[in-house]
mmCIF file of all heavy atoms in Angstrom:
data_model
loop_
_atom_site.group_PDB
_atom_site.id
_atom_site.type_symbol
_atom_site.label_atom_id
_atom_site.label_comp_id
_atom_site.label_asym_id
_atom_site.label_seq_id
_atom_site.Cartn_x
_atom_site.Cartn_y
_atom_site.Cartn_z
ATOM 1 N N LYS A 119 -4.428 -2.191 15.002
ATOM 2 C CA LYS A 119 -3.289 -1.533 15.623
ATOM 3 C C LYS A 119 -2.107 -1.450 14.660
ATOM 4 O O LYS A 119 -1.450 -0.406 14.543
ATOM 5 C CB LYS A 119 -2.873 -2.286 16.897
ATOM 6 C CG LYS A 119 -1.739 -1.640 17.663
ATOM 7 C CD LYS A 119 -1.429 -2.407 18.939
ATOM 8 C CE LYS A 119 -0.284 -1.762 19.709
ATOM 9 N NZ LYS A 119 0.027 -2.523 20.952
ATOM 10 N N GLY A 120 -1.832 -2.533 13.957
ATOM 11 C CA GLY A 120 -0.747 -2.524 12.982
ATOM 12 C C GLY A 120 -1.041 -1.607 11.809
ATOM 13 O O GLY A 120 -0.140 -0.951 11.279
ATOM 14 N N ALA A 121 -2.315 -1.568 11.394
ATOM 15 C CA ALA A 121 -2.688 -0.667 10.307
ATOM 16 C C ALA A 121 -2.497 0.786 10.712
ATOM 17 O O ALA A 121 -2.029 1.611 9.915
ATOM 18 C CB ALA A 121 -4.140 -0.921 9.906
ATOM 19 N N MET A 122 -2.827 1.121 11.956
ATOM 20 C CA MET A 122 -2.683 2.500 12.426
ATOM 21 C C MET A 122 -1.222 2.936 12.439
ATOM 22 O O MET A 122 -0.916 4.107 12.176
ATOM 23 C CB MET A 122 -3.280 2.649 13.826
ATOM 24 C CG MET A 122 -4.795 2.650 13.864
ATOM 25 S SD MET A 122 -5.544 3.953 12.851
ATOM 26 C CE MET A 122 -4.812 5.420 13.571
ATOM 27 N N LYS A 123 -0.321 2.026 12.727
ATOM 28 C CA LYS A 123 1.102 2.380 12.699
ATOM 29 C C LYS A 123 1.518 2.806 11.291
ATOM 30 O O LYS A 123 2.214 3.817 11.107
ATOM 31 C CB LYS A 123 1.959 1.203 13.159
ATOM 32 C CG LYS A 123 3.451 1.520 13.201
ATOM 33 C CD LYS A 123 4.262 0.318 13.610
ATOM 34 C CE LYS A 123 5.745 0.678 13.710
ATOM 35 N NZ LYS A 123 6.279 1.245 12.445
ATOM 36 N N GLY A 124 1.082 2.040 10.292
ATOM 37 C CA GLY A 124 1.376 2.425 8.917
ATOM 38 C C GLY A 124 0.705 3.728 8.533
ATOM 39 O O GLY A 124 1.281 4.545 7.797
ATOM 40 N N PHE A 125 -0.512 3.957 9.033
ATOM 41 C CA PHE A 125 -1.210 5.208 8.742
ATOM 42 C C PHE A 125 -0.416 6.410 9.261
ATOM 43 O O PHE A 125 -0.268 7.416 8.573
ATOM 44 C CB PHE A 125 -2.602 5.200 9.391
ATOM 45 C CG PHE A 125 -3.547 4.188 8.813
ATOM 46 C CD1 PHE A 125 -4.656 3.775 9.532
ATOM 47 C CD2 PHE A 125 -3.326 3.645 7.554
ATOM 48 C CE1 PHE A 125 -5.542 2.839 9.005
ATOM 49 C CE2 PHE A 125 -4.196 2.710 7.019
ATOM 50 C CZ PHE A 125 -5.307 2.310 7.745
ATOM 51 N N TRP A 126 0.087 6.293 10.488
ATOM 52 C CA TRP A 126 0.830 7.410 11.063
ATOM 53 C C TRP A 126 2.130 7.660 10.312
ATOM 54 O O TRP A 126 2.537 8.812 10.120
ATOM 55 C CB TRP A 126 1.119 7.146 12.544
ATOM 56 C CG TRP A 126 -0.048 7.389 13.450
ATOM 57 C CD1 TRP A 126 -0.711 6.469 14.199
ATOM 58 C CD2 TRP A 126 -0.716 8.637 13.680
ATOM 59 N NE1 TRP A 126 -1.743 7.056 14.891
ATOM 60 C CE2 TRP A 126 -1.770 8.389 14.599
ATOM 61 C CE3 TRP A 126 -0.527 9.927 13.211
ATOM 62 C CZ2 TRP A 126 -2.617 9.388 15.037
ATOM 63 C CZ3 TRP A 126 -1.390 10.940 13.647
ATOM 64 C CH2 TRP A 126 -2.414 10.669 14.552
ATOM 65 N N ASP A 127 2.787 6.593 9.880
ATOM 66 C CA ASP A 127 4.016 6.768 9.092
ATOM 67 C C ASP A 127 3.717 7.506 7.794
ATOM 68 O O ASP A 127 4.462 8.405 7.383
ATOM 69 C CB ASP A 127 4.648 5.406 8.788
ATOM 70 C CG ASP A 127 5.199 4.729 10.032
ATOM 71 O OD1 ASP A 127 5.421 5.424 11.042
ATOM 72 O OD2 ASP A 127 5.402 3.491 10.008
ATOM 73 N N LEU A 128 2.643 7.119 7.145
ATOM 74 C CA LEU A 128 2.250 7.784 5.904
ATOM 75 C C LEU A 128 1.836 9.226 6.172
ATOM 76 O O LEU A 128 2.161 10.140 5.395
ATOM 77 C CB LEU A 128 1.108 7.010 5.251
ATOM 78 C CG LEU A 128 0.579 7.541 3.919
ATOM 79 C CD1 LEU A 128 1.677 7.540 2.859
ATOM 80 C CD2 LEU A 128 -0.612 6.707 3.453
ATOM 81 N N TYR A 129 1.132 9.445 7.265
ATOM 82 C CA TYR A 129 0.686 10.789 7.651
ATOM 83 C C TYR A 129 1.871 11.733 7.802
ATOM 84 O O TYR A 129 1.855 12.869 7.300
ATOM 85 C CB TYR A 129 -0.103 10.674 8.958
ATOM 86 C CG TYR A 129 -0.453 11.976 9.635
ATOM 87 C CD1 TYR A 129 -1.579 12.697 9.245
ATOM 88 C CD2 TYR A 129 0.312 12.474 10.688
ATOM 89 C CE1 TYR A 129 -1.919 13.887 9.875
ATOM 90 C CE2 TYR A 129 -0.021 13.652 11.327
ATOM 91 C CZ TYR A 129 -1.136 14.361 10.917
ATOM 92 O OH TYR A 129 -1.466 15.533 11.551
ATOM 93 N N GLU A 130 2.914 11.270 8.480
ATOM 94 C CA GLU A 130 4.092 12.110 8.682
ATOM 95 C C GLU A 130 4.823 12.362 7.364
ATOM 96 O O GLU A 130 5.317 13.468 7.124
ATOM 97 C CB GLU A 130 5.039 11.454 9.688
ATOM 98 C CG GLU A 130 4.497 11.393 11.107
ATOM 99 C CD GLU A 130 4.283 12.787 11.704
ATOM 100 O OE1 GLU A 130 4.991 13.732 11.283
ATOM 101 O OE2 GLU A 130 3.403 12.917 12.574
ATOM 102 N N LYS A 131 4.883 11.368 6.504
ATOM 103 C CA LYS A 131 5.622 11.526 5.248
ATOM 104 C C LYS A 131 4.914 12.459 4.290
ATOM 105 O O LYS A 131 5.563 13.139 3.478
ATOM 106 C CB LYS A 131 5.822 10.148 4.599
ATOM 107 C CG LYS A 131 6.961 10.106 3.608
ATOM 108 C CD LYS A 131 8.291 10.396 4.271
ATOM 109 C CE LYS A 131 9.457 10.335 3.315
ATOM 110 N NZ LYS A 131 10.739 10.608 3.966
ATOM 111 N N LEU A 132 3.607 12.528 4.355
ATOM 112 C CA LEU A 132 2.858 13.381 3.438
ATOM 113 C C LEU A 132 3.013 14.858 3.760
ATOM 114 O O LEU A 132 2.483 15.714 3.031
ATOM 115 C CB LEU A 132 1.375 12.997 3.439
ATOM 116 C CG LEU A 132 1.040 11.674 2.761
ATOM 117 C CD1 LEU A 132 -0.460 11.467 2.690
ATOM 118 C CD2 LEU A 132 1.637 11.604 1.362
ATOM 119 N N ARG A 133 3.759 15.178 4.815
ATOM 120 C CA ARG A 133 4.111 16.583 5.055
ATOM 121 C C ARG A 133 4.985 17.114 3.921
ATOM 122 O O ARG A 133 5.105 18.326 3.734
ATOM 123 C CB ARG A 133 4.842 16.722 6.388
ATOM 124 C CG ARG A 133 3.995 16.456 7.613
ATOM 125 C CD ARG A 133 4.841 16.500 8.874
ATOM 126 N NE ARG A 133 5.393 17.833 9.089
ATOM 127 C CZ ARG A 133 4.806 18.783 9.804
ATOM 128 N NH1 ARG A 133 3.630 18.538 10.355
ATOM 129 N NH2 ARG A 133 5.366 19.951 9.958
ATOM 130 N N CYS A 134 5.618 16.214 3.178
ATOM 131 C CA CYS A 134 6.443 16.638 2.043
ATOM 132 C C CYS A 134 5.591 17.171 0.893
ATOM 133 O O CYS A 134 6.119 17.839 0.001
ATOM 134 C CB CYS A 134 7.302 15.479 1.550
ATOM 135 S SG CYS A 134 8.560 14.921 2.726
ATOM 136 N N CYS A 135 4.318 16.874 0.894
ATOM 137 C CA CYS A 135 3.451 17.322 -0.195
ATOM 138 C C CYS A 135 2.919 18.717 0.108
ATOM 139 O O CYS A 135 2.376 18.951 1.193
ATOM 140 C CB CYS A 135 2.279 16.354 -0.370
ATOM 141 S SG CYS A 135 2.781 14.633 -0.603
ATOM 142 N N PRO A 136 3.075 19.652 -0.816
ATOM 143 C CA PRO A 136 2.625 21.031 -0.554
ATOM 144 C C PRO A 136 1.116 21.165 -0.580
ATOM 145 O O PRO A 136 0.399 20.333 -1.141
ATOM 146 C CB PRO A 136 3.269 21.817 -1.705
ATOM 147 C CG PRO A 136 3.406 20.823 -2.807
ATOM 148 C CD PRO A 136 3.674 19.499 -2.154
ATOM 149 N N GLY A 137 0.635 22.245 0.038
ATOM 150 C CA GLY A 137 -0.778 22.587 -0.006
ATOM 151 C C GLY A 137 -1.628 21.827 0.992
ATOM 152 O O GLY A 137 -1.163 20.939 1.709
ATOM 153 N N GLN A 138 -2.910 22.199 1.022
ATOM 154 C CA GLN A 138 -3.868 21.501 1.876
ATOM 155 C C GLN A 138 -4.177 20.129 1.288
ATOM 156 O O GLN A 138 -4.213 19.957 0.076
ATOM 157 C CB GLN A 138 -5.161 22.306 2.007
ATOM 158 C CG GLN A 138 -5.074 23.500 2.933
ATOM 159 C CD GLN A 138 -6.451 24.111 3.153
ATOM 160 O OE1 GLN A 138 -7.212 24.356 2.234
ATOM 161 N NE2 GLN A 138 -6.784 24.349 4.413
ATOM 162 N N LYS A 139 -4.433 19.182 2.152
ATOM 163 C CA LYS A 139 -4.691 17.820 1.684
ATOM 164 C C LYS A 139 -5.387 17.026 2.786
ATOM 165 O O LYS A 139 -5.335 17.394 3.963
ATOM 166 C CB LYS A 139 -3.385 17.131 1.295
ATOM 167 C CG LYS A 139 -2.286 17.293 2.329
ATOM 168 C CD LYS A 139 -0.921 17.053 1.748
ATOM 169 C CE LYS A 139 0.172 17.459 2.723
ATOM 170 N NZ LYS A 139 0.295 18.917 2.837
ATOM 171 N N ARG A 140 -6.009 15.953 2.380
ATOM 172 C CA ARG A 140 -6.715 15.097 3.336
ATOM 173 C C ARG A 140 -6.326 13.651 3.079
ATOM 174 O O ARG A 140 -6.379 13.168 1.948
ATOM 175 C CB ARG A 140 -8.230 15.285 3.198
ATOM 176 C CG ARG A 140 -9.029 14.471 4.202
ATOM 177 C CD ARG A 140 -10.478 14.888 4.250
ATOM 178 N NE ARG A 140 -11.203 14.566 3.033
ATOM 179 C CZ ARG A 140 -12.532 14.405 2.972
ATOM 180 N NH1 ARG A 140 -13.268 14.556 4.072
ATOM 181 N NH2 ARG A 140 -13.127 14.125 1.828
#
Side-chain angles (χ1 to χ4, degrees):
K119 183 177 180 181
M122 286 302 302
K123 182 182 183 303
F125 294 160
W126 282 115
D127 292 341
L128 181 61
Y129 170 84
E130 292 296 333
K131 201 63 179 180
L132 288 186
R133 292 175 64 91
C134 294
C135 306
Q138 284 188 312
K139 47 200 170 287
R140 182 168 68 156

